[in-house]
Structure formats: structure tokens, C-alpha cells
Amino acid sequence: MGRARRGATDLNGVLLVDKPTGITSHDVVDCLRRASGEGRIGHAGTLDPMATGLLVVCVGPATKLAEHLTAADKSYLARIIFGTSTATDDREGEVLEQATPPACLADPEYVQSILAAFVGEISQMPPQFSAIKLDGVPAYRLARQGRQAELKARQVRISSLELLAATADSWDISADVSKGTYIRSLARDIGQAVGCPAHLGELRRSAVGQWRVSQAQPLAELEAAARAGSLTEHFLELAVGQ
């Protein structure tokens, strides 16, 4: 009789995780692997360590669904901070430039005019600190070495941008975007459009395809369920391949 493959269980399904800030998407996967004993676990769409919100995690044979789920449109809640640009295009990076934000940033009509220019099919340059690989090397690794990765602009689709709140130095927005869209890049480019350096201050993924973060559960609860042998109770009701 053949030996069971190491790290394989009978677990098979999709989880919706509400990722906390301060850890990577891979950290989430590692936590669930250790807790469940299942090695075949992957996520469908990376969230930066700073970001929180919906992370779709595939377990067991359901990992075959990951590529399909990654292609789904995504929704975010974001805060853009004006007056400072950073090397990572978010609050965690080294400050590159500072300037006083213009007074018009608090004017909702002005904000709407800027946001409207980014809705639709646009060309977007990914951040230097990104997981895009060049000759097998992630761009962020080159950036950490002080080297400039030769990234290429990508065509992405922004279905909607809605203003939630505006102050003299920050905008809270909601964004519905296609696969491959970087909200960090969007914050950077909006800053360039208003003539003031900007970066991403907060980010929460609120939806992936049909699923909403309100359906997700905290990582700690799913870890506890995995250790207790009750993780299957948290799987979505999907027909997945064996």
C-alpha cells in the first residue's frame, strides 16, 4: 500500500480570512498549515503586510481553484495621505519627498474630478517594492538592495472610485478594481495628478468577486478551529475538485 503524502489530509475547501495587519499573506498560509497539518494551502491574491481584510485561502485539492479566484475583481477601502511620498508608496516606506498639500484637497467637487480621471482602463506602473519577478528575482528584493527594477506599466481596470471623506491632507475612498491593480500605485499617481506627493496610509480589502469581508473570520479563530479538527465547518459551500 502506498504511503500517504506528507502534509496531506482529507481537508478540501475554501476559507475566507480577515487578515490582520502586520503579517504577510504567506504568514497566514503558514499559520493554517501548522494548525491543520495540511501542506496544500494557498491564497488567492496577496495583501501587503500593512493591509487588512479579505484573503481567500484554498485548502487541500481546492488549491486548484486559486488561479481562477485570483483573477476575480476586488474592492478596497483606502486612505490616501498627501504631503509625503515614500519608497514603498505606503506608510511603511522611507520618505522620499515632502510638500504642503494644496487647500483644494478638501473640496469634494475637486476630489471627484480627480478620481473620475482614473476610472476605466488605465496604464499603471507597479511599485518598486512589489512581488513582480524579473529574471526570477522579486522586484522588492532588488529595491532593498538599492537597485531600480525595470518594471513595465500594466493595463488595469478601475471600475469605480468613490469618495468617502476628504480633509486638507487625506482622502478616504472605496475602489473596485481588476486583478493586478496596485492601490499603492493609485495613491502615488493621484498625488502626482494633484501636484502633491502622496502615499497609501490605510488599506482594507472589502471584497473578492462575490465574497465580502463581512463573511470572513479572524485568523485566530480559524487557527483554533484547525487545531480542534473543526476547520471543515468554516469552508464555503462550493463544489471543488478532488
Side-chain angles (χ1 to χ4, degrees):
M1 181 180 294
R3 181 183 301 177
R5 188 172 65 81
R6 183 180 180 184
T9 68
D10 60 357
L11 294 172
N12 181 21
V14 176
L15 298 168
L16 300 183
V17 182
D18 190 343
K19 187 187 92 65
T21 189
I23 64 173
T24 68
S25 298
H26 189 68
D27 290 336
V28 172
V29 168
D30 279 346
C31 286
L32 292 173
R33 283 174 177 164
R34 289 193 298 268
S36 67
E38 173 59 66
R40 298 166 298 172
I41 300 181
H43 64 78
T46 301
L47 278 174
D48 292 333
M50 181 195 81
T52 67
L54 183 55
L55 186 70
V56 179
V57 174
C58 302
V59 181
T63 52
K64 292 183 292 185
L65 297 173
E67 184 175 354
H68 170 71
L69 297 177
T70 300
D73 287 353
K74 299 171 179 66
S75 299
Y76 296 90
L77 301 175
R79 174 166 293 170
I80 302 172
I81 306 296
F82 295 92
T84 305
S85 64
T86 71
T88 56
D89 297 322
D90 63 23
R91 69 172 187 237
E92 298 185 335
E94 176 187 359
V95 173
L96 298 179
E97 184 182 3
Q98 292 181 299
T100 301
C104 60
L105 292 185
D107 179 356
E109 290 188 9
Y110 176 75
V111 177
Q112 296 288 6
S113 69
I114 295 296
L115 294 181
F118 287 89
V119 175
E121 299 283 340
I122 66 169
S123 178
Q124 185 183 75
M125 183 64 71
Q128 282 292 315
F129 282 81
S130 65
I132 297 172
K133 291 185 178 180
L134 299 171
D135 296 326
V137 180
Y140 67 78
R141 189 171 299 169
L142 298 175
R144 288 172 182 168
Q145 297 170 357
R147 299 164 60 188
Q148 190 84 0
E150 295 184 4
L151 300 174
K152 295 181 179 179
R154 296 177 164 190
Q155 290 297 121
V156 299
R157 185 185 72 259
I158 299 180
S159 300
S160 71
L161 288 176
E162 180 182 348
L163 174 66
L164 304 177
T167 70
D169 58 9
S170 70
W171 294 351
D172 288 349
I173 64 171
S174 65
D176 298 327
V177 303
S178 67
K179 170 189 175 182
T181 304
Y182 282 92
I183 307 300
R184 285 184 287 146
S185 292
L186 179 62
R188 177 201 65 210
D189 295 346
I190 285 176
Q192 293 173 354
V194 303
C196 180
H199 67 273
L200 184 65
E202 303 285 344
L203 184 66
R204 182 165 176 78
R205 184 187 283 163
S206 55
V208 175
Q210 63 182 313
W211 297 312
R212 301 294 179 264
V213 71
S214 59
Q215 300 171 266
Q217 294 174 289
L219 175 61
E221 291 185 13
L222 292 173
E223 283 185 277
R227 294 191 184 98
S230 59
L231 192 61
T232 56
E233 297 176 9
H234 301 278
F235 287 152
L236 294 175
E237 295 185 3
L238 294 174
V240 296
Q242 300 295 321

